[in-house]
Amino acid sequence: MMTITIEDIHAARSRIDDVAIRTPLIPSPYLSKRAGAVFLLKLEMTQPIGAFKLRGAANAVLSLDRSTMGVTCCSTGNHGRGVAYAAAQRGIRAVVCMSQLVPDTKVKGIEDLGGETRIVGRSQDDALQECLRLVEEEGLIEISPFDDPLVIAGQGTIGLELLDQCDDLDMVLIPLSGGGLAGGVAFALKQINPAIRVIGVSMERGAAMYESVRAGRPIEVEEFASLADSLGGGIGLENRLSFPLCREYLDDIILVSEQEIYHAMQTIYYEDRLVCEGGSAVGIAALESGRLPPVKGPVATIITGRNLDMRIHADIMNGRDVVLGDMVVKGRDYSSS
Ligand SMILES: *Cc1c(COP(=O)(O)O)cnc(C)c1O
């Protein structure tokens, strides 16, 4: 059955307890002033693989039958790292398939964790084809980055932790791509307190879940290079679970521009002294854009990962232009205005 329950999320929490850490939830004094309410950062970038994806991957890998030889996945990077790390913990093989759009640091990261990598084509869909071939021909088990009940339950454990750490949350801002994270966390939060508002945030170009929710069914969108490369990729035309969860449990989806993501990465670095990926900074970009609805109490955003090319990070911190495929994100020195 393709559903999840709150019990699945509690079960995931105990299953992954030895692999994923309980991450800190810290207030940002600067962003709290901007928001007019306590603004909290859930530091998932402090997971052992540098991103939250370890939660879902570990829950899926640790649920596998004892006889499983190995696993495979297609990933823009962080899911691949999570699967490689969790598989290494269990002593089984992991083969990670990805497209040429994925930055080199992410490929190397997976290999350092003991995973095998396969680079194929220019899109997630090409990578998925290779993945399906490995399932057919080599008998590996595929772990979807977002459309799998165990993965979604694993990501949903962040929702349980958030409520343990702050019991009067008014709003949670969640970086949104395939929707495993937003679907799982929104589901967990709303099961416990339906009054919490949960908002997904994506980049303007290539926001597959946003377009799909608007269309009322999963649709394909063109992929673009983005500072938020972790948020790229489609949701799958055959999407079974993350799409219905996002459609039902997200109160809204906000889109932010590359320029806003650039500035948000500077903000979190200069104000909170944190290094994070563009895809992690979109909740902050949403706040700074002025597009959030009025807040009445504590707001939290999930700082999802920190696995980015540090040369690009240095360029942004120094206000230099960043070239992304056919587009240039104009550099700007940081100012808090
Ligand atoms: C995967 C990822 C996301 C989005 O998660 P989905 O479940 O695909 O919506 C956000 N931020 C980072 C850093 C990620 O790796």
Side-chain angles (χ1 to χ4, degrees), residues 82-288:
V83 168
Y85 185 92
Q89 299 263 309
R90 259 199 70 168
I92 60 174
R93 185 177 169 215
V95 184
V96 180
C97 308
M98 55 197 123
S99 88
Q100 291 159 4
L101 290 181
V102 174
D104 291 350
T105 42
K106 294 201 168 186
V107 179
K108 185 171 180 303
I110 288 163
E111 289 169 353
D112 288 347
L113 294 168
E116 297 167 44
T117 54
R118 300 273 165 89
I119 316 289
V120 274
R122 300 266 323 150
S123 75
Q124 282 292 99
D125 290 338
D126 295 335
L128 182 61
Q129 290 315 310
E130 174 65 6
C131 206
L132 298 178
R133 194 191 65 77
L134 289 167
V135 171
E136 279 288 304
E137 293 172 20
E138 300 186 29
L140 303 186
I141 304 276
E142 190 211 346
I143 300 178
S144 159
F146 52 81
D147 200 25
D148 175 309
L150 290 163
V151 170
I152 292 173
Q155 323 303 31
T157 59
I158 297 170
L160 302 181
E161 274 181 32
L162 278 170
L163 289 173
D164 284 350
Q165 292 167 310
C166 178
D167 62 11
D168 62 343
L169 280 173
D170 173 38
M171 192 186 288
V172 179
L173 310 173
I174 309 181
L176 173 63
S177 175
L181 175 66
V185 174
F187 177 82
L189 291 170
K190 301 260 185 180
Q191 293 301 302
I192 297 166
N193 179 0
I196 297 175
R197 290 175 293 166
V198 187
I199 297 178
V201 190
S202 299
M203 68 288 176
E204 270 171 4
R205 300 201 306 172
M209 186 61 80
Y210 172 83
E211 300 296 347
S212 298
V213 168
R214 274 178 52 139
R217 67 192 157 83
I219 58 169
E220 243 167 323
V221 296
E222 194 183 339
E223 272 187 61
F224 296 94
S226 169
L227 288 177
D229 57 89
S230 288
L231 304 187
I235 69 164
L237 291 176
E238 308 296 314
N239 189 297
R240 294 166 299 174
L241 190 52
S242 68
F243 171 71
L245 286 172
C246 287
R247 184 170 55 176
E248 180 162 355
Y249 293 104
L250 290 181
D251 294 287
D252 200 2
I253 300 174
I254 290 178
L255 303 184
V256 292
S257 69
E258 296 299 317
Q259 205 63 60
E260 287 165 340
I261 296 169
Y262 184 107
H263 191 263
M265 290 171 75
Q266 291 183 325
T267 300
I268 191 167
Y269 182 75
Y270 285 112
E271 305 295 345
D272 297 292
R273 310 294 199 261
L274 297 173
V275 170
C276 78
E277 302 181 30
S280 290
V282 294
I284 291 161
L287 169 69
E288 292 190 310

